[in-house]
Amino acid sequence: MKKTFLIAGLAMGASLFSSCTQEQKKEEKKVVTVPKVAHLVDYTDFTLTSDIKHLNKNQRIMIEKMIEVSKIMDNLFWKQAYGDKDSFISSLPSDELKRYAAVNYGPWDRLQDNKPFIDGIAEKPKGANFYPQDMSKEEFEALANQDKNSLYTIIRRDVRGELKVIPYSTEYRIELEKASNLLMECSDLAKDPGLKKYLKLRANAFLSNDYFASDLAWMDMKENPIDFVVGPIENYEDKLFGYKTSFEAYVLIKDMEWSKKLAKFASFLPELQKGLPCDRKYKTETPGTDSQLNAYDVVYYAGDCNAGSKTIAINLPNDERVQEQKGSRRLQLKNAMRAKYEKILVPISEVLIDPSQRKHITFDAFFANTMFHEVAHGLGIKETITGKGTVRKSLKEHASALEEGKADILGLYMVSQLHKKGEIDGDMKDYYTTFLAGIFRSVRFGAASAHGVANMIRFNFFKSYGAFEYDNASGYYKVNYPKMEEAMNALSAKILQLQGDGDYNGVSELVKTHGKITLDLQKDLDKIDDANIPTDVIFNQGIKELGL
């Protein structure tokens, strides 16, 4: 079932945003919307479930406890993204608005470039709730505390109004102690030694604020049929500096057969790194070969990964030290991926892709493009060659968008190279055509999403290269396959150079010139909206849906 939220500017009570009389408050309860510019965002429902017949009693109890921990992560992300969830949600005048706020984890529409959808709400702070809202970048830079750039600290003001650095383990102590205890209980239930060790170390990390050992342990898990990605992980929410990580959780059930099929691809990373279409100095790093490719059914999302657009594949850990030692793990979320393909990607292709090329829109190509996006995070460069430190820190708030752009384009590069080697079946036209359709799907996430910005850049770059043609008469796009490959190599080289040089100004210029939706593209996105195609999914999930 598809849910359509028609949200206009909504007048709120004095408790949150503005002063008003009791009479006005009564009136607001009657009038849910006011005649202002409305945002129409469609989500389609999808139930997260999986075959759990093969799981034993302990594993089923562990999943229940993992879902409890996930709910804690969800509330912590609310604190990071907005603040107090309960007082905010309870102040909203309608159930529809409450549901919409829950999808967005606050009053800003994540699929409409974080525009407020409630009257009286200011623009979303770039630093979300990680920093004081009145803090300037200059004040932060002047703070003499080496932990200010940590992934696991927040910035607040002390009684004198001076900036202070607070570890997550201190700021969120009560919640993290409860989560830690639940993870310890899961560890006691686990029979798989790798999973047992990881859960114990992750429980300790919540209290110590040091996640390195648990990240290494997570990389060592090989045969466990259930998995749990949990903690402060991605830094998308911090658009001020890109330093601070957000709490999230995925509860996962491994598809052992699919995972066996995918296992061989990670071994090609060193060879593919050497062949990257860029100057030799940008590909001297050796990617870890212990990287794993696995397929899962995801049965619970919480926190950052559940906000707005939903993740369908994971590449972790993000810690460059772990990647150097162990590589990374790539998790393909099969059931969520299938939902987006059938409910969103295929309908988009029927609106925008030339009929002669629609036969090249396939789930296998969508799966491969998504999978190799995650693998491609391991390619390229992590440390700048100009002495500016890591790519992530040198590119600051632009790091995430450029990294997602790199993974997209190098993922397609990997597909093309492995196809030439005979390691991947199918017609290469399938991968290119599905890739173009995928741009239209992801660009709808908007500038508030790192993935959205990455897709805008790629669309405009490909357009300038003639990688696709647009027929004004029919309104359809048609891939120019030879030029698509040229554009792929050119954009790969550009992104790798920007990352390797730690060129903050160069990336800023790329985002400024290419990271935007043009009027022509907006007209095509409007066609998608007019066709009533959902933008993303809302999950029905939990104990009941799993039949536990």
Side-chain angles (χ1 to χ4, degrees):
M1 176 183 176
K2 188 168 69 171
K3 292 182 179 177
T4 299
F5 298 93
L6 182 58
I7 306 298
L10 290 167
M12 300 303 303
S15 60
L16 249 72
F17 309 117
S18 61
S19 61
C20 61
T21 65
Q22 290 298 317
E23 184 177 340
Q24 286 173 319
K25 288 182 182 179
K26 291 179 182 177
E27 182 66 20
E28 285 165 5
K29 291 181 181 178
K30 299 177 185 176
V31 182
V32 177
T33 60
V34 295
K36 290 199 172 186
V37 177
H39 303 303
L40 181 61
V41 176
D42 291 340
Y43 288 87
T44 185
D45 281 31
F46 184 76
T47 298
L48 292 178
T49 188
S50 184
D51 182 2
I52 60 171
K53 292 192 296 290
H54 62 291
L55 299 182
N56 60 40
K57 181 180 178 181
N58 276 16
Q59 290 167 338
R60 293 178 184 221
I61 296 173
M62 286 169 62
I63 287 176
E64 292 186 31
K65 291 182 181 294
M66 287 174 177
I67 289 175
E68 286 187 60
V69 175
S70 299
K71 291 177 180 178
I72 295 173
M73 298 298 108
D74 203 69
N75 286 326
L76 288 177
F77 179 64
W78 261 101
K79 290 187 174 184
Q80 294 178 314
Y82 173 77
D84 182 29
K85 169 189 175 182
D86 292 337
S87 63
F88 169 59
I89 293 291
S90 64
S91 70
L92 300 178
S94 71
D95 289 341
E96 182 183 45
L97 187 57
K98 289 176 181 179
R99 288 195 301 271
Y100 200 67
V103 170
N104 288 283
Y105 288 76
W108 301 283
D109 195 325
R110 291 174 179 270
L111 299 189
Q112 295 283 342
D113 297 341
N114 274 329
K115 294 176 183 175
F117 54 84
I118 296 172
D119 246 3
I121 291 289
E123 179 181 335
K124 184 175 182 179
K126 291 186 179 298
N129 200 30
F130 296 112
Y131 311 89
Q133 293 186 21
D134 62 350
M135 183 197 78
S136 67
K137 282 191 174 184
E138 292 74 20
E139 186 181 12
F140 178 83
E141 298 290 0
L143 176 61
N145 186 317
Q146 63 180 5
D147 292 329
K148 68 181 182 182
N149 296 343
S150 167
L151 301 173
Y152 312 119
T153 62
I154 63 167
I155 311 299
R156 292 290 181 260
R157 292 197 184 278
D158 60 22
V159 293
R160 300 170 299 171
E162 301 292 330
L163 296 181
K164 63 178 180 179
V165 180
I166 306 174
Y168 286 178
S169 55
T170 300
E171 178 71 9
Y172 310 118
R173 178 180 60 82
I174 295 174
E175 295 94 335
L176 290 176
E177 283 181 353
K178 183 178 180 182
S180 178
N181 290 335
L182 285 166
L183 281 188
M184 282 296 188
E185 293 173 13
C186 288
S187 178
D188 291 339
L189 290 166
K191 301 299 183 184
D192 179 83
L195 180 60
K196 178 182 286 289
K197 179 181 179 181
Y198 161 67
L199 291 171
K200 182 177 181 179
L201 289 175
R202 204 62 166 182
N204 292 335
F206 282 151
L207 306 181
S208 69
N209 219 47
D210 184 352
Y211 290 84
F212 181 66
S214 61
D215 277 348
L216 288 174
W218 185 73
M219 282 297 301
D220 290 335
M221 294 193 302
K222 305 288 184 182
E223 304 300 328
N224 48 303
I226 61 176
D227 204 337
F228 193 27
V229 175
V230 62
I233 297 172
E234 303 289 3
N235 57 353
Y236 303 135
E237 194 72 8
D238 178 6
K239 299 188 187 308
L240 188 63
F241 291 107
Y243 294 155
K244 307 306 175 186
T245 52
S246 301
F247 285 96
E248 65 180 358
Y250 304 82
V251 181
L252 304 156
I253 297 176
K254 191 172 185 179
D255 187 319
M256 307 301 279
E257 292 304 314
W258 270 72
S259 296
K260 287 178 183 176
K261 296 176 185 177
L262 304 179
K264 65 178 181 179
F265 290 119
S267 62
F268 290 104
L269 280 173
E271 176 185 345
L272 292 168
Q273 173 85 349
K274 291 178 182 178
L276 289 174
C278 64
D279 192 288
R280 183 179 301 175
K281 62 185 177 182
Y282 299 115
K283 50 185 178 181
T284 57
E285 295 181 8
T286 302
T289 55
D290 194 28
S291 300
Q292 305 169 45
L293 282 172
N294 294 296
Y296 296 83
D297 280 336
V298 55
V299 296
Y300 204 89
Y301 282 74
D304 186 41
C305 61
N306 195 44
S309 60
K310 309 302 188 293
T311 302
I312 54 177
I314 309 168
N315 175 63
L316 292 172
N318 288 327
D319 191 324
E320 292 88 352
R321 299 171 300 168
V322 180
Q323 292 182 14
E324 289 172 3
Q325 289 187 37
K326 299 278 189 178
S328 59
R329 287 176 61 194
R330 284 84 180 199
L331 293 75
Q332 314 307 308
L333 311 183
K334 233 166 79 281
N335 53 348
M337 202 180 296
R338 175 68 74 173
K340 291 203 180 189
Y341 173 77
E342 293 178 352
K343 293 174 177 287
I344 303 174
L345 188 74
V346 170
I348 285 175
S349 71
E350 292 170 351
V351 171
L352 294 182
I353 301 299
D354 189 88
S356 67
Q357 293 188 341
R358 288 179 196 164
K359 63 184 178 183
H360 295 300
I361 304 291
T362 69
F363 179 72
D364 285 349
F366 181 61
F367 183 88
N369 288 344
T370 305
M371 175 179 70
F372 285 108
H373 163 102
E374 301 305 331
V375 180
H377 278 297
L379 293 175
I381 197 162
K382 304 296 180 187
E383 193 81 19
T384 63
I385 64 173
T386 53
K388 296 179 181 179
T390 65
V391 171
R392 176 161 46 180
K393 289 192 174 179
S394 64
L395 298 184
K396 300 181 180 179
E397 74 273 17
H398 295 314
S400 292
L402 197 67
E403 177 62 22
E404 294 305 326
K406 180 203 81 173
D408 278 334
I409 200 67
L410 291 190
L412 187 62
Y413 158 79
M414 289 186 70
V415 168
S416 69
Q417 296 303 303
L418 291 171
H419 187 269
K420 290 174 182 177
K421 289 170 62 68
E423 297 292 341
I424 295 179
D425 297 328
D427 190 333
M428 196 60 210
K429 292 178 180 178
D430 295 352
Y431 300 98
Y432 283 140
T433 311
T434 304
F435 189 83
L436 177 60
I439 293 177
F440 294 118
R441 181 186 71 86
S442 297
V443 81
R444 298 171 82 198
F445 299 153
S449 160
H451 296 272
V453 173
N455 277 275
M456 292 176 204
I457 291 172
R458 186 163 50 262
F459 177 86
N460 290 316
F461 192 93
F462 278 15
K463 182 179 181 181
S464 68
Y465 259 78
F468 52 79
E469 298 156 2
Y470 183 74
D471 186 335
N472 286 309
S474 67
Y476 292 136
Y477 287 87
K478 194 172 185 179
V479 179
N480 183 316
Y481 297 110
K483 290 186 178 180
M484 175 73 89
E485 185 170 7
E486 290 178 21
M488 173 187 73
N489 290 332
L491 184 56
S492 297
K494 186 173 186 65
I495 289 177
L496 290 168
Q497 180 179 350
L498 289 169
Q499 286 188 323
D501 292 344
D503 186 356
Y504 177 84
N505 292 332
V507 178
S508 298
E509 183 62 23
L510 180 65
V511 171
K512 180 180 177 181
T513 57
H514 286 75
K516 57 187 178 183
I517 296 178
T518 63
L519 290 177
D520 288 341
L521 176 57
Q522 186 59 56
K523 289 178 182 178
D524 294 317
L525 297 180
D526 290 342
K527 290 181 188 176
I528 297 174
D529 290 339
D530 292 342
N532 208 22
I533 297 170
T535 303
D536 213 84
V537 291
I538 297 175
F539 295 126
N540 304 314
Q541 56 181 2
I543 302 298
K544 179 181 177 182
E545 284 73 14
L546 274 174
L548 287 173

